[in-house]
Amino acid sequence: MKPDQSQKPPLSKWVDKLLGWLVAPHLREEVLGDIHERYARRVQRLGERKARLTYWREVLAYARPSFITRKPSPYSTPSYTDMLRNYLKIAFRNLIKQKGYSFINIAGLSVGMAVAMLIGLWIHHEYSYDKFLPDYQQLYQVRRNFNSNGDTLTFTTTSLKLADALRYQIPEVEQVAESDHMGSHGLKVGDKKIYLNGAQIGGDFLQMFQYPLVEGKASLALKDPYSIVLTESTAKALFGSENPMGKIVRFDNQNDLKVTGILKDLPTNSSLQFNYLVPFSYYEATVNNVRMDRSGSFGNNGYQIFVKLKPGASYAQVSNKIALIQHTERNNSNAMNSVVILQPLQNWHLYSTYQNGKETGGFIEYIRMFSVIGILVVLIACINFVNLTTARSARRAKEVGVRKSVGSQRQQLIGQFLIESFLLTVVAFLFSLLLMQILLPAFNSLTESQIAIPYTTAGFWMAVLGCLLITALLAGSLPAFYLSSFQPVKVLKGTMQVGKAASLPRKVLVVAQFSCSIALILSAIIVFKQIQHAKNRPTGYDVNRLLMTNMNLELSQNFTVLKDELIKNGIAEQVSQSSSPATDIWWHSDLDKWPGKNAGETVELGVILVAKDYFKTVGMTLAQGRDFSGENDTTSVIFNEAAIKRFRLPNPIGQLITWQGKPLRIVGVAKNALMQSPFTKADPTMFVCTSFPLNVLLYRISPRLTTQEALSKMTALFNTYNPSYAYSYQFADESYAAKFKQESLIGKLAGIFAGLAIFISCLGLFGLASFMAERRTKEIGVRKVLGASILNVWGLLSKEFVYLVGIAFLIATPVAYYLLSNWLQKYEYRTEMSWWIFALTGLGAMVVTLLTVSFQSIKAALLNPVKSLKME
Amino acid sequence: MRRSDLGEFEEVVLLAVAALSPSAYSVVIAEELERETGNTVSTGAVHAALQRLEQKGYLTSLLGEATAERGGRRKRLFTVTPLGGRVLSEVRAVRNRLWDRIVPHTILKWS
């Protein structure tokens, strides 16, 4: 086939396109022409096939800088920095010339940014929990889902038998550490006694949870049963500046333990908190029950288990294997089988709530809520900037006109205004850093964390830069597009009514701003009210002047003497002991039998073993029946009302139940007491009397003594009768108040942020009002000359804003109502959202608005019309 | 006059322009060089050399007529400037002088 002259090169279309894109425009024609001609000639000379082969080399030969480099534009291109310098100069002049507006903008933005950054740092801190441990992704805690008559309850208490089952039956499990409940024990070195919480924990623990060791080896430190690992501060408290390694610590006044390791103090973002570690083998060696539990039943749930999976193994792979591990065991004496699940370490802190056996959330919900609040506060501050800038656009209109007629393009003007907003944001950021530095100590003590501004981390600065850019764009883009759209002819002629076009978006933004603020304030009020509501809830017992001290062997031996002394000396009114502190229930169990039990029905029931005078001491009253007659009344049981209801016992007194194979007769019914969460219904609980020593000493100090006096007397008494231990105590009212810790924190933070949001919003309103008053000076002058009163003028200027805030209120109320009723749903005991809260908030917002606006409007109304009309 | 800024390939291209004048453009120059040297020469390389020479002031160019085989695109025709001419003859003179100094005996040994 003979190719003709106009033969197209192969692949011509896209190669042409590629070259056309590659080669500088002014060379395109000749280059493409050359290639085509060369190809055509080669086809004639050598044939199409050979021409095609060389074609590519020809094309590639053009991929060199001399063809790619674009020809410089013939027009003058002033270097970019020239204009930048001018923009910055103008921006600074504007900042300085209009101090009031600059102040409002910068103050609002820097407060907003400080709030957002604080929230950001706090969230970062909350997310950082336990991430400092090297293998945190492989670490889990064992939980079990227990079916209590249809409700799945999730517990962290597990059995030693389960620990062994996991260790030996599941190949994907690398290590297992069993642990006690990390309670407090007495440590003694010479005369130094301290009473601190620590863990008795499996020997592999330090290899799994690699908390940094200052001294000792992770693999050896917990090998010998009679060893102890201290944290640095515990070591310092016991040994001062001496080197503690190899020294002896007397543990619980029973045994001497050798110090085999020193841990760095645990950071606040560690979920596990302990002051020392004792090997679990010590616990087994010294306590008979524990040793028996290892071979005993899956039902002896009194331990925690931590698990490390092998690298590469995931929970998803093993979940099926371990779920029913308790069921695989034959001869399982305890019928209460649970479904075993693992919770990853990284979720411990933020996802602590379990519902129906699944993680449902926890603190993470508040984290999400505060991220939204942070963003809202910054948005509110940005709205100030947008509103004030567009409102004052008349001042900049002439500048825009002149710039445009001299030759500025729209993009350049947009750039200019964006640079201005960026500059403002940067200035605000510097102030917000200062503000944060000032606020951090207070914030840290509020949230009980040790957050510092991470000046040295690159990530922080990246995040800051990102936020600055976003803020500057958010705040600056609307004004930039608006200002740069002015037509120079109209502006310079003076026929343009500047500000009219932007007034609707401005109103919308003010409404948005106040909707957010009002919604935030409503939330803060409801959170506060919910906490107050739960705090005012009758607890069913009396936490005031009630003290709790953990029992130890010595104390329980001297209990009777001590009790006599306390009462005889008028220090305490009542003294008793129980298996759980007054503000908690440590033991849950099931009944074997009760009248009217359905086949297979199981019930999770709190069990509290008590000594004589328990009900008198904690101030619980009996609704029916009688109190225990004395220490030996061990065949009687007292239920609380919730338990009676749960077991459907119409005439409870005298009924026989069986618990742990033992028949017990119900002799009394106690009124419900809120020993666990103050937000839920009282747990079904039963009280059993025993003469054995129990866990907690309970005593109520006499109202005749001040707390200080009582404490000093008690210290003396305890030192006499319990000399091996440091005297420690806990006030029941304090430990009850601690149950509100999370909610109080959330309430306080929400309150503070809501207050700041309304402050920033009002700042913006103040600016807008002053602008309005300034613009209408002449109008007001004329009105006054014609006879308007000060009240008329005030109403005229304030009306518009009141109207906007009213709309904002109408928008915010239903939204807040919806969100808050959702939030309240998770509390069984919840406050109601009465209409008056909303009314009051609306009224409050109105009053604040009026106060803010009135300052400006009254000032304008008082102006002498002669002066205002003579202006110009 | 700086001699060093004329590379070997540039020199050949400049010579080719002078030889093919007045209708010297990259395609014909490339083909001419291919014919003379026996090596493949891409128009891109030639074109780049032409650009450099023009930049140095040894060549001037103007757009010529369009042809069908170029897809209706015009070609850029190059001519040697007086400066280019002087450089060429100077290069030649240097070469000649050096050639003249080679002892005939040496040349004999090469062949």
Side-chain angles (χ1 to χ4, degrees), chain A residues 551-684:
Chain A
M551 282 291 220
N552 51 59
L553 198 64
E554 197 177 59
L555 197 56
S556 55
Q557 279 161 357
N558 295 336
F559 172 70
T560 328
V561 198
L562 183 75
K563 179 175 176 176
D564 286 349
E565 287 286 322
L566 280 170
I567 291 173
K568 201 175 72 191
N569 294 332
I571 302 169
E573 287 181 314
Q574 296 287 350
V575 181
S576 183
Q577 46 179 331
S578 76
S579 62
S580 317
T583 49
D584 207 352
I585 300 174
W586 280 354
W587 189 8
H588 285 84
S589 184
D590 189 13
L591 291 189
D592 306 341
K593 258 188 239 159
W594 68 87
K597 176 184 173 173
N598 298 332
E601 189 178 357
T602 52
V603 165
E604 188 70 19
L605 164 90
V607 178
I608 299 180
L609 302 182
V610 298
K612 199 171 149 253
D613 296 336
Y614 173 79
F615 291 99
K616 281 184 213 150
T617 310
V618 296
M620 234 182 260
T621 47
L622 294 181
Q624 293 178 52
R626 62 167 176 89
D627 193 353
F628 296 114
S629 58
E631 248 110 66
N632 300 321
D633 194 3
T634 51
T635 53
S636 300
V637 63
I638 293 177
F639 275 26
N640 70 354
E641 288 169 327
I644 297 293
K645 202 173 151 200
R646 184 72 194 73
F647 292 110
R648 306 176 301 272
L649 301 170
N651 299 307
I653 303 295
Q655 301 273 22
L656 265 182
I657 57 131
T658 313
W659 174 62
Q660 297 200 330
K662 214 171 77 172
L664 294 170
R665 189 173 299 283
I666 301 176
V667 297
V669 177
K671 288 224 165 111
N672 283 339
L674 295 174
M675 304 184 107
Q676 289 195 304
S677 168
F679 297 105
T680 56
K681 290 197 283 273
D683 281 18

Side-chain angles (χ1 to χ4, degrees), chain A residues 480-500:
Chain A
F481 280 97
Y482 173 65
L483 287 173
S484 63
S485 70
F486 292 157
Q487 289 179 326
V489 180
K490 282 189 182 169
V491 170
L492 295 177
K493 247 184 168 174
T495 55
M496 193 173 98
Q497 273 285 344
V498 180
K500 271 269 166 66

